[in-house]
Amino acid sequence: MIIETFVLTPFQQNTRVLACEETRKAICIDPGEKSDELVDFINNNDLELQAIILTHGHLDHIGGTAALAKEFPDAEILLHKDEMYLYDALPKQPLLMGIQPDQMRAMGMEYEPAPKPTRFLTHGEVLHVGELKLEVRHCPGHTRGHIVLVADNERCVFTGDCLFSGSIGRTDLPGGDYDQLIESIQTNILALGDDFTVYCGHGPETTIGRERTTNPFLNGAYLQGRGFSL
Ligand SMILES: [Fe+2]
C-alpha cells in the first residue's frame, strides 16, 4: 500500500493519498484545501484516483474537494449521509467556527458550495481500491456522520478526528457528543487490536496499543469519572 500524507490548511490537517501498488488505483482521504502538490503526486505516480473519501464534513477535511474533483472528474465523492449538515454548510463553516469574514480570505477559507456526493457510505461496507480493502465504520461523536476506514490486511486505521496521538476529537462543535465519541472509539477503533497503526487527521501516527495504555482520555480516572468501564 502506498500512503502519502500532505499537511494542509492552517489547521495542519493530514490529507492522504492511499494507493494499491499493483493496480495504481487510489483514493484521497480528506482533501483539506486546493493543493497542486496533491494533484502532482497523483499524476506523477500514474495513480488512478477512483474516489475522494471524507471522514467527516469539517472545513479542514473537505475544503479541497471541489478543486480535486475538477482535476479528477471520474472520482467518486463519498461520505456518510449524517454528515450532510456540515458538508452542505461548507461556505458558512468559518463563521460557525468564529472566523471573521475579513479573515476568511486571508486564511484561504472562502469556499464555494461543496460538490454533490456521488453516494453515501454505510457502516460495514467494504471499499475495494485495487487489491486493497477498506472497511467503513461509522464513529459518531466528533460529528454525527464521522467514519473511519479500516485496512485489516495492512493492520492500519484512518481515524480522521476521532482519535489522535495522546488525545481525542473535540466534541463542543455542532453535532459533537462526548459519550458517543468514547463509545465509538472503544467499539470501532480500540477493539481492532493493539498492533494496528493509527493514521490520525491531525498530528503524528500512533498505534492502538499506545493509545489504549497512554491516552489520558482512554485510560484511568478520566473515563471512570464519567461512568465508563476501563
Ligand atoms: Fe473535525
Side-chain angles (χ1 to χ4, degrees), residues 78-99:
L78 306 173
L79 76 166
H80 194 281
K81 70 174 171 24
D82 291 354
E83 209 58 9
M84 290 304 286
Y85 74 107
L86 289 171
Y87 190 75
D88 281 341
L90 175 61
K92 283 190 250 171
Q93 277 198 43
L95 297 171
L96 297 174
M97 291 186 174
I99 297 168

Side-chain angles (χ1 to χ4, degrees), residues 56 58 60-61 142-143 146 161 202:
H56 67 295
H58 281 152
D60 53 327
H61 294 253
H142 175 64
T143 60
H146 196 299
D161 285 1
H202 300 264

Side-chain angles (χ1 to χ4, degrees), residues 162-181:
C162 282
L163 176 63
F164 303 122
S165 177
S167 188
I168 61 172
R170 60 190 288 185
T171 55
D172 58 315
L173 294 169
D177 183 307
Y178 181 89
D179 290 354
Q180 200 175 40
L181 178 59

Side-chain angles (χ1 to χ4, degrees), residues 205-220:
E205 295 145 34
T206 181
T207 64
I208 289 187
R210 190 182 306 150
E211 296 316 303
R212 187 199 305 283
T213 52
T214 67
N215 188 314
F217 292 92
L218 303 175
N219 69 5

Side-chain angles (χ1 to χ4, degrees), residues 9-65:
T9 82
F11 296 92
Q12 301 281 287
Q13 194 273 128
N14 292 324
T15 293
R16 290 197 171 88
V17 172
L18 262 61
C20 168
E21 288 189 65
E22 286 77 25
T23 64
R24 315 308 287 176
K25 304 256 189 204
I27 59 168
C28 177
I29 302 175
D30 291 349
E33 66 183 351
K34 185 178 188 300
S35 167
D36 292 340
E37 190 188 5
L38 174 62
V39 172
D40 289 347
F41 178 82
I42 295 167
N43 287 330
N44 294 342
N45 288 282
D46 296 321
L47 302 181
E48 179 191 338
L49 191 73
Q50 65 181 52
I52 298 166
I53 299 181
L54 307 168
T55 61
H56 67 295
H58 281 152
L59 57 83
D60 53 327
H61 294 253
I62 68 170
T65 304

